[in-house]
Amino acid sequence: MILIYLAAGWVVGITLAAFFALPLTVWLWLLVLPVGYLAVWWRDENLRRVHFVFLALILGALRYQIALPNSSNGALAEFNDRGRVSLIGIVTAEPDTRDTYTNLRVDVNKIESSNQWRVLQGRALVQAPRDTPAQYGDEIQFDGEPTTPPDAADFSYRDFLARESVFTTVRRARVYVLSHDHGNWFFARLLDFKAAALNAEKILLPEPTASLLAGILLGHNQDLPRALKDAFAKTNATHLIAIDGFKIALIAGFFTQLAQRVHKGWLADAFVISALVIYTLLVGSGASAVRAAIMSILAVIAVRFGRQTFALNSLALAAVFITLFNPTALWDAGFELSFMGTLGLVLYTRPLSLWIERKLSRFRFDERTKKGVEFLTDLLVVNLVVQFTTTPLVIAIFHRVS
C-alpha cells in the first residue's frame, strides 16, 4: 500500500503546485522539511512512511514547477497579432488531419523580418490545407499571421496549448515543403508503417468501415465521418474507437502466445514488452494507451517472477510514470477517464459481482443457463462500473450525458 500513498502524495503535490503559483525556490526550501524529518525520525516506521509521502508531495510540486513552459524562451510569441510573416521550421509530430484542414506542430527556427531572415525559437500550431504534403520531420516554410490562442470562459485553448509549450497559432497558412528527414529516424519509420497500414485498409475495405477499423486498431479516427463521430460521442462509446486497456491486453496476449512458441524465458518477455512499447508509440502514445501498456508490462514482469500483480499498485505506478514525463497529463481528459474507469474496475467489479451472484443463487439454473447468466452478469457489471465512475467526468468535461 505504501506505493499507493506515495503516488497519491506525488499527484497531490502536482495539483497543489498548479493551484498555488509558488516560486521554485519556495518548494526547494520546503523540501528540507521531509528530508530533515526522515533523518530525525528514521527509526519510527509510521512517521517514516508519513514523511516519505510528504517528500513525494514536494517532489511532485517541484516536477510541475520545472515542467512549466516559459514563453520568454519562445521569441516567436513576440510576433503574435502583428500581421503576416514568413517562417521556417520542422514538423515535430504526426499531422492531425481534420474535416477541412490539417494541424501541424512546428518548431520554428527562422522568421522573415524587414526582408531579412533572422533566427528565433518557438513552437507554433499551424493550420494548413487538408491535403498538405507536409509530414513528420519535414522542414517547411509557411506564410500566415501568428496569433495568440483564444482564452474562452468555458475552455482555455491558450492554457491547453501552453502545456505543450505552444504559444502561437497560425491559421489558414500557406505551406511549402523545403526538405525531408529532419526528425527521429525510428519514429519516422514507425509513421511510414502506420501510413502504409492505413492505405491498405482503405484499399481492402469500403468507407466508413476502413476508417472505423483504423480507429479501433490504430487509434486513427481523423477520417471518420463527423456524423459517426457524433454518434459515438452521444452514446458514450468513443472508447470503442480509441486505444484502451482492453485492446492493449489483446495485443499483449497475442504477442505472448506468439513469443512462447519460440522461447519461454526472458527473451519472450523482452519481445512482448518491446512489442507493447512499439504499438503504444504507433498509436500515438495517448494517456490511456500508455497507462494500459505500463500495467500490461508490469503484469508480464510479475508472471516471470511468479508473482501476482496488485492492480492498484500497477495503476499508481502508471500514474506516477505518466506524470513524471508530463505533469500536465493530470488535466488531460483521456488520462482522467482512463484512470477513473480503471480504478472503478479495480475497486467495484468484484464486490458488485459477488453481490449479484448471491442474489442469483436463489434461483435454480441448469449448467448451460448458469454459464450464460454469468457471462451476461460480467458484461453488465463491467459496463455499470465504468459508467458509474466516468459519467461525472464526462458531464464535467464535455457537459453531456448519454
Side-chain angles (χ1 to χ4, degrees):
M1 291 294 290
I2 185 62
L3 180 58
I4 298 172
Y5 297 142
L6 292 174
W10 172 269
V11 170
V12 169
I14 293 174
T15 306
L16 289 175
F19 282 96
F20 299 100
L22 299 178
L24 181 64
T25 51
V26 173
W27 292 110
L28 286 172
W29 277 110
L30 288 173
L31 188 62
V32 175
L33 294 176
V35 173
Y37 289 147
L38 283 170
V40 174
W41 285 290
W42 179 259
R43 294 184 179 181
D44 189 316
E45 184 177 354
N46 292 328
L47 285 176
R48 187 168 70 238
R49 290 180 178 178
V50 171
H51 297 139
F52 266 123
V53 174
F54 187 21
L55 178 62
L57 185 149
I58 302 299
L59 290 176
L62 282 171
R63 179 65 187 96
Y64 178 83
Q65 287 294 123
I66 293 171
L68 280 178
N70 186 358
S71 59
S72 63
N73 292 336
L76 174 62
E78 298 175 7
F79 292 86
N80 287 357
D81 310 309
R82 290 169 55 181
R84 293 180 67 86
V85 294
S86 291
L87 304 111
I88 292 177
I90 308 296
V91 180
T92 58
E94 181 182 11
D96 180 13
T97 304
R98 304 297 178 91
D99 292 339
T100 58
Y101 61 90
T102 295
N103 280 331
L104 303 173
R105 271 173 168 70
V106 182
D107 278 355
V108 178
N109 50 48
K110 291 181 183 178
I111 186 171
E112 187 181 32
S113 178
S114 302
N115 295 322
Q116 289 185 340
W117 288 98
R118 53 171 285 192
V119 177
L120 86 169
Q121 291 182 345
R123 183 170 294 171
L125 182 68
V126 180
Q127 186 188 94
R130 193 180 192 279
D131 58 351
T132 180
Q135 297 297 324
Y136 167 77
D138 287 351
E139 182 183 37
I140 63 172
Q141 177 180 337
F142 57 100
D143 303 331
E145 181 182 358
T147 58
T148 302
D151 188 14
D154 56 340
F155 174 72
S156 177
Y157 196 47
R158 185 182 305 170
D159 291 343
F160 173 77
L161 291 179
R163 294 180 191 133
E164 300 180 10
S165 299
V166 177
F167 303 97
T168 300
T169 56
V170 182
R171 300 182 63 192
R172 295 184 291 274
R174 291 186 297 174
V175 176
Y176 312 93
V177 178
L178 303 180
S179 57
H180 307 283
D181 299 328
H182 295 279
N184 178 274
W185 180 88
F186 176 77
F187 189 57
R189 301 293 78 77
L190 207 59
L191 291 180
D192 288 342
F193 173 79
K194 183 176 182 178
L198 292 172
N199 187 56
E201 289 173 357
K202 291 179 180 179
I203 293 174
L204 295 172
L205 298 170
E207 290 292 355
T209 308
S211 296
L212 184 59
L213 180 62
I216 293 172
L217 189 61
L218 298 173
H220 181 91
N221 55 24
Q222 288 92 331
D223 297 328
L224 276 175
R226 172 57 57 184
L228 188 56
K229 284 184 181 179
D230 291 342
F232 276 110
K234 289 176 181 177
T235 56
N236 275 5
T238 306
H239 60 278
L240 295 176
I241 50 174
I243 303 302
D244 57 9
F246 176 67
K247 292 168 190 172
I248 294 290
L250 288 178
I251 293 293
F254 170 77
F255 281 110
T256 298
Q257 293 294 324
L258 186 65
Q260 288 183 348
R261 290 176 179 271
V262 180
H263 196 278
K264 294 187 181 296
W266 271 105
L267 192 61
D269 296 336
F271 174 77
V272 174
I273 292 172
S274 300
L276 287 172
V277 171
I278 292 173
Y279 181 73
T280 304
L281 293 173
L282 181 69
V283 298
S285 303
S288 60
V290 174
R291 191 272 312 156
I294 292 172
M295 295 183 72
S296 295
I297 288 171
L298 291 173
V300 170
I301 295 173
V303 170
R304 172 55 47 195
F305 283 101
R307 303 287 296 273
Q308 187 173 357
T309 55
F310 182 42
L312 278 179
N313 275 344
S314 298
L315 185 60
L317 191 60
V320 171
F321 182 87
I322 293 172
T323 52
L324 178 64
F325 283 89
N326 180 19
T328 61
L330 280 182
W331 291 270
D332 179 87
F335 174 85
E336 293 173 353
L337 290 169
S338 174
F339 185 87
M340 289 304 298
T342 306
L343 183 63
L345 290 173
V346 172
L347 294 179
Y348 304 124
T349 301
R350 182 168 176 76
L352 186 57
S353 296
L354 292 175
W355 181 81
I356 294 178
E357 285 180 11
R358 285 197 299 269
K359 296 297 181 181
L360 292 176
S361 62
R362 303 173 183 175
F363 304 94
R364 296 180 179 272
F365 297 115
D366 58 64
E367 193 62 29
R368 185 176 179 180
T369 305
K370 184 179 179 181
K371 289 182 179 180
V373 170
E374 289 175 352
F375 175 74
L376 293 175
T377 300
D378 289 341
L379 291 180
L380 175 66
V381 168
V382 168
N383 278 280
L384 282 176
V385 166
V386 172
Q387 291 293 334
F388 175 75
T389 52
T390 60
T391 295
L393 274 176
V394 172
I395 295 172
I397 297 171
F398 303 108
H399 311 293
R400 182 177 62 236
V401 180
S402 172

